[in-house]
Amino acid sequence: QVQLVESGGGLVQAGGSLSLSCAASGSIFSIRIMGWYRQAPGKQRELVATSGNSTNYAEFVKGRFTISRDNAKNTVYLQMNGLKPEDTAVYYCNAVIRPTGSMKLYIYWGQGTQVTVSS
């Protein structure tokens, strides 16, 4: 019954900013890692940023995007500044979670939110 729900996508001009959020809900014992991936039309899904024991960023977003977490709310954020047209993609929330009552870790995905950057 664990679910990830994303919000914050939309249309923005090049150089603008957007802030994405993703909240995990359900019977959660702990969350090991939360992060963001993206997929542009006709291309494969790629990692954007992750937050666990350490924070990692794809090289193409370093200096522009910031990932953060509110553990009390089981929420991860992605602040995107200096957006470029090539950032246009569907952005997916990802989490590695141990559900309540389980000794195993599972990977969960959100439904995705569209980010469109115009020239």
Side-chain angles (χ1 to χ4, degrees):
Q1 62 176 326
V2 173
Q3 185 178 12
L4 304 180
V5 179
E6 300 136 310
S7 63
L11 175 65
V12 66
Q13 296 183 76
S17 300
L18 281 175
S19 182
L20 307 182
S21 65
C22 171
S25 63
S27 298
I28 298 171
F29 181 82
S30 64
I31 300 177
R32 185 73 61 84
I33 301 169
M34 297 192 80
W36 294 92
Y37 289 69
R38 71 185 188 186
Q39 187 168 21
K43 297 185 178 180
Q44 295 190 358
R45 191 170 299 185
E46 62 184 351
L47 184 146
V48 176
T50 61
S51 177
N53 290 336
S54 62
T55 300
N56 299 299
Y57 294 95
E59 290 189 359
F60 55 81
V61 301
K62 284 185 176 179
R64 299 189 297 127
F65 293 6
T66 302
I67 188 170
S68 61
R69 285 173 63 177
D70 185 337
N71 292 328
K73 296 181 178 179
N74 290 334
T75 300
V76 63
Y77 306 91
L78 185 68
Q79 178 63 48
M80 304 185 293
N81 300 321
L83 284 163
K84 305 174 182 179
E86 51 263 44
D87 293 320
T88 296
V90 176
Y91 284 70
Y92 295 91
C93 180
N94 168 267
V96 178
I97 295 174
R98 178 184 172 185
T100 299
S102 177
M103 297 299 294
K104 297 181 289 186
L105 298 174
Y106 296 87
I107 300 174
Y108 296 89
W109 292 92
Q111 78 285 354
T113 184
Q114 177 70 48
V115 171
T116 302
V117 184
S118 62
S119 301

